Structures are given as structure tokens and as C-alpha cells.
Amino acid sequence: MRKPLVAGNWKMHGSRAMVAELLDALITDLSDGFDTSEIAVFPPSLYLSQVRDALTDSPVVWGVQNICSKDGLSGAYTGELSAGMAADFSCTYVLVGHSERRAMYGDTDSVVAAKFALIANQGLVPVLCVGETLKEREQNETSTVVSRQISAVLDSVDGSLLKNGYVIAYEPIWAIGTGVTATSQQAQEVHAEIRKLIEKHSSDMAARTRILYGGSVKASNAMDILGQSDVDGALVGGASLKAEEFLAISRAAG
Ligand code: 13P
């Protein structure tokens, strides 16, 4: 049985005051022992220490949005942070291959594969983000694009690194930050294809891997999308910055 995961990608949003307020609201609300879905937050890395201090001993886990592709530990890479540093701050997950990084920061399939391996090598769980543009969907290329993005990683990674598993987040680019979500049928269709693709590598992994949907998920549409059999949670952007919205999505998943 896959426990749903609802993850908040804060992107480049926040301040110390906002982080304190948001985490306090989450912890207070979850103090009734809610545990039917796992909840994770991905703050900008500068706030990791604050997040770790606030969430240790809470049911909420945390991760970073990106790591360096060159070295898992340390080196002369100005401005970067390593997978080892994320582990040092007790991260559970690391996002990799988000479409914003693919589009704006040169995260090609091979860079994404390198980062994925470095994350897994630190015992952390990579959350591999994939998804097609609107043009690709209109040209019926969704399956090709998503398969290419996933195969680039799974075909190259050393299987022995995957003991802690991985998570896939299907985020159609046309649904990110636009207010337009994929329909629950569109999401289910792609998620089922992704699971079949994973099955080619390992049926055990296919059964246990959580496939999240991301793209304009809100409290008002969460139930519909999260009700699909191959949708195992959500990667939430904008709505994860509002405690009430994010909690409502987490409860819809559980
Ligand atoms: P929105 O929920 O703001 O559309 O962002 C989705 C996303 O990119 C999460 O990684």
C-alpha cells in the first residue's frame, strides 16, 4: 500500500517571519496525530536550518529543491549546495528535474540523471519531476517526452542506489502556476503509463513508487485528482504557501 505524499514546493518564496508562521500553523493543525498522508516541505535552502528546528519531532518532513550535479559532498562550486549537505540537515527528499530548472538553468536529462544518482547515493529520496509543454501535449508527444525524461534516469542509475526508492512527480508544464489543472482522467492516464514504464525496470518498484501530480493543485480540485488510482499524492506550488490550503490538500490525499 502506498502512503500518499503531499509535498509543498515553496520555490523562491518566503521570509523568516513567513516560514515561522506557516510552520507553526501546520504543526498546530497536525497535533491531532494526522498520519494518513505524509507531508513534506521544500523551502528555499537558506531557511533549511529554521525549518529543521521547527519540524524536528513533528510529522512533517523536509527537503531541498535542487542540489549540485558535480559532486555529492564538497568542492569548488560557488553558489551550489551538495546532496551531502542536504543529508547533513536531515532532509528526507530532494527535488530534481523540476521544469523551471530544466527550462531556465540548463538541467538537461543527463544533468538530472547525475543529480538523481548523487541524491540517492546519500540515502536521500529523489523526487524526479517530469512533464510536457502545451505544444508537446497538442502534438500528442506527452508519452514520448515523459518516457524520455524517466528513462534517462532509470536506464543510467545503478540499481543498488535505489534502496530507499524514489518518487516521480508528473507536472504538465501548462498546468504549473496557470490555474489550469490536468483533468483527473488526463492525470490518471499519464500516471498509469509512468507506472508501466517503471515496471519494465522492476515490478516491485512499480508497486511501491509514489507518483505525484503537480500543477495548480488547490483544496478545491485536490479530491478529484487525488481520487485516481495511480495518483499517490501531490506536488503543490502556490497553494503550499497557505497553511489552510495545504492542509486541506493533505487531508484530501489521506
Ligand atoms: P503550482 O501548484 O503553483 O501550479 O506549482 C506546481 C509546481 O511547480 C510544484 O512543483
Side-chain angles (χ1 to χ4, degrees), residues 83-107:
M85 292 168 184
D88 195 27
F89 274 82
S90 318
C91 288
T92 302
Y93 298 104
V94 180
L95 298 185
V96 60
H98 192 283
S99 60
E100 286 152 15
R101 294 215 57 90
R102 290 181 192 262
M104 293 185 269
Y105 301 101
D107 283 12

Side-chain angles (χ1 to χ4, degrees), residues 142-205:
T142 301
S143 301
T144 316
V145 170
V146 168
S147 305
R148 192 203 71 225
Q149 291 172 332
I150 295 176
S151 299
V153 172
L154 296 188
D155 290 350
S156 69
V157 71
D158 172 355
S160 70
L161 290 180
L162 299 178
K163 288 186 296 292
N164 293 338
Y166 55 88
V167 175
I168 305 256
Y170 169 57
E171 300 201 298
I173 294 168
W174 47 271
I176 295 179
T178 57
V180 179
T181 42
T183 64
S184 49
Q185 289 85 343
Q186 285 173 323
Q188 169 58 27
E189 207 176 298
V190 179
H191 282 227
E193 281 179 22
I194 292 174
R195 202 172 303 285
K196 279 217 186 86
L197 184 62
I198 300 172
E199 208 158 32
K200 284 194 197 149
H201 292 263
S202 153
S203 51
D204 169 54
M205 214 41 125

Side-chain angles (χ1 to χ4, degrees), residues 34 53 67 94 98 105 134 138 160 203 211 217 238 246:
F34 172 78
D53 287 350
I67 52 110
V94 180
H98 192 283
Y105 301 101
L134 182 59
E138 284 170 352
S160 70
S203 51
I211 306 173
V217 176
F246 189 53

Side-chain angles (χ1 to χ4, degrees), residues 48 64 72-75 80-91 122 124:
L48 210 51
V64 289
L73 293 173
S74 59
E80 293 288 318
L81 62 91
S82 72
M85 292 168 184
D88 195 27
F89 274 82
S90 318
C91 288
Q122 288 299 316
L124 305 176

